[in-house]
Amino acid sequence: AQSVTQLGSHVSVSEGALVLLRCNYSSSVPPYLFWYVQYPNQGLQLLLKYTSAATLVKGINGFEAEFKKSETSFHLTKPSAHMSDAAEYFCAVSPVVGANSKLTFGKGITLSVRP
Amino acid sequence: DTGVSQNPRHKITKRGQNVTFRCDPISEHNRLYWYRQTLGQGPEFLTYFQNEAQLEKSRLLSDRFSAERPKGSFSTLEIQRTEQGDSAMYLCASSFYEDEQYFGPGTRLTVT
């Protein structure tokens, strides 16, 4: 079975500071990996995805993530935080093969940005 | 492309009542997924359809839950004899086969 671990439930950074949100996965084979963002009272929006092409993936809003097989990690980064980045972030995994591409999510991390 | 829509956005019901939620996917998407999200947790998979066929159900989906997608377009999720533990955000997503899943805004259910 696949799973995702997001350590910590809350990260706080100053505006302009580096954002680093950690995600580790467990899977018998390299899966597809995703980062989603959820703003209050809204659905999930895809930030970026890894589908076994380039290991460094660039997404929307200046976010990027690097797939590291040796560390089973897919950490999300942004060089300079903006106030509008405050939201909840979810890492997710899905099977590469098989008909059901259901997503398995981590518990999420709330990002706060201080002025 | 109007996105995935869900109705109602909020539902308050008394324990023991039945509720039904609706999801309208993006029109050309053949797959439709239901997830449940409780406070402080990530979404959990409930079930999915490819066209009108329900192909997988999670063990989270007890006998009180039933989902349909009668014509391969919109889907409904019904919960019978609601319990307080059913209080959650119910999310719908759609995709074209294994492509990116697009999520709706969710239906927040509160069981009193």
Side-chain angles (χ1 to χ4, degrees), chain B residues 2-5 11-12 17 19 44 53 55 62-63 67 74 77 87 93 95 99 102 105 109 111:
Chain B
T2 57
V4 178
S5 61
K11 179 72 177 178
I12 300 174
Q17 298 295 305
V19 295
E44 295 173 294
L55 298 185
S62 75
D63 291 344
F74 73 91
L77 178 67
S87 295
S95 70
D99 289 350
Y102 289 82
L109 173 66
V111 181

Side-chain angles (χ1 to χ4, degrees), chain A residues 32 34 36 38 41-46 49 88 90 96 98-108, chain B residues 9-10 31 33 35 37 40-45 48 50 56 91 95 97-98 100-101 103-105 108:
Chain A
Y32 288 166
F34 307 80
Y36 281 85
Q38 187 176 35
N41 300 315
Q42 294 187 26
L44 296 160
Q45 181 182 9
L46 181 67
K49 61 182 178 181
E88 193 157 17
F90 294 93
V96 173
N100 186 357
S101 53
K102 65 182 179 183
L103 295 165
T104 300
F105 288 87
K107 290 187 176 182
Chain B
R9 293 292 308 275
H10 303 275
R31 288 190 181 176
Y33 296 79
Y35 294 85
Q37 184 179 18
Q41 302 295 320
E44 295 173 294
F45 168 78
Y48 97 104
Q50 182 164 303
E56 184 171 336
L91 296 166
S95 70
Y97 291 106
E98 297 88 5
E100 174 188 345
Q101 292 182 32
F103 282 81
R108 182 171 296 283

